[in-house]
Amino acid sequence: MLENQKSGFVMDVVELELFVNNPPHGFTVESSAGCRVVKWDQESSCVFINEIQTGKGKVIFCNSPGRKVTVRTLGEYTDLRRQLTSKTIYILVAACTETKVEEKRNCVRALEYYVVAINGNHPMIRWEMEKGLDMTISSVAGESYIVDVDISAALQGWVGEGFRILVDMEKVKPIWKNTHFTIKYHSDALFDFPYWFGYSKRQFKVTYHGR
């Protein structure tokens, strides 16, 4: 069970299979046509998870926009900002390994998938989210932006440097992949030069300073 049922919850990390087999409060899982469909309470959660094919079948998070969420008006952006700073955010990350051969081929192998839950309503997380959004999107009116919200630092801070995954009887330190979600603000401005020339892509990190 995720720690978001506890007082003072900041974040938690749980294996995808454990999450699906024992969903936390506000989540239900149904099996349909060989898929596991995860439904969730949209009043208390923001889920940014694409459907995923695992060794035990496909997992679909119903009504999730996926890892990329697009807003087209200032009102939509304001509503998304409110959600990010008041609800629990869920992201699916991959714990990977990279051999020398895979490194040369510029590819990695996923060892395990984990659901990361971050409490956007926690004062520390809310402050970091608001600060990051203020720095990257100072004024969205008339401009398009692509903003990556990166949780890699928070994830690494939570699991610790000693975290290992058992692979073929050997403990392996994972390489974390897919540790962000993306906000795309699309403006219909006629002369949106920063967006056209690729200068509108921004990033900020959410950190975690100890369990």
Side-chain angles (χ1 to χ4, degrees):
M1 184 63 68
L2 288 169
E3 291 182 4
N4 58 349
Q5 308 306 314
K6 300 179 181 179
S7 177
F9 158 72
V10 180
M11 67 177 293
D12 202 357
V13 182
V14 63
E15 292 180 15
L16 175 61
E17 286 300 323
L18 292 178
F19 185 98
V20 172
N21 292 332
N22 187 22
H25 178 74
F27 287 78
T28 59
V29 179
E30 301 175 1
S31 295
S32 176
C35 298
R36 289 172 291 176
V37 179
V38 183
K39 297 182 179 180
W40 45 284
D41 179 11
Q42 298 182 49
E43 293 299 317
S44 60
S45 304
C46 288
V47 177
F48 301 114
I49 300 178
N50 296 323
E51 65 179 57
I52 179 72
Q53 182 71 44
T54 73
K56 296 185 178 181
K58 184 179 292 186
V59 179
I60 300 173
F61 283 79
C62 191
N63 295 320
S64 168
R67 195 173 297 276
K68 296 181 179 180
V69 56
T70 300
V71 291
R72 296 183 178 275
T73 67
L74 185 58
E76 288 181 358
Y77 165 74
T78 301
D79 183 61
L80 177 62
R81 181 187 176 105
R82 178 190 60 78
Q83 294 185 55
L84 294 176
T85 55
S86 64
K87 300 181 180 182
T88 301
I89 302 163
Y90 293 86
I91 305 170
L92 187 69
V93 302
C96 302
T97 182
E98 186 177 64
T99 65
K100 291 183 178 180
V101 173
E102 290 168 332
E103 185 177 2
K104 290 180 180 179
R105 294 177 179 174
N106 194 29
C107 66
V108 294
R109 176 166 60 98
L111 303 172
E112 189 66 74
Y113 293 100
Y114 290 83
V115 176
V116 179
I118 298 178
N119 182 7
N121 193 45
H122 188 279
M124 179 182 71
I125 300 298
R126 185 171 62 245
W127 179 80
E128 289 210 338
M129 193 70 69
E130 290 176 342
K131 182 183 70 171
L133 290 172
D134 287 343
M135 290 175 60
T136 55
I137 309 181
S138 56
S139 174
V140 295
E143 295 183 56
S144 297
Y145 288 89
I146 299 174
V147 180
D148 287 341
V149 183
D150 186 355
I151 66 161
S152 59
L155 173 61
Q156 190 59 57
W158 194 93
V159 301
E161 288 296 327
F163 182 81
R164 297 292 186 274
I165 295 177
L166 191 63
V167 181
D168 298 330
M169 304 302 292
E170 181 182 356
K171 292 183 178 180
V172 176
K173 182 177 181 179
I175 300 169
W176 296 106
K177 297 291 184 181
N178 301 328
T179 58
H180 71 276
F181 65 94
T182 301
I183 302 169
K184 298 178 68 176
Y185 180 86
H186 181 73
S187 169
D188 293 327
L190 183 60
F191 299 107
D192 196 355
F193 295 113
Y195 183 78
W196 293 352
F197 292 104
Y199 299 135
S200 61
K201 189 164 185 176
R202 318 287 174 83
Q203 181 190 77
F204 71 89
K205 293 180 179 290
V206 177
T207 59
Y208 180 72
H209 301 289
R211 301 174 68 170

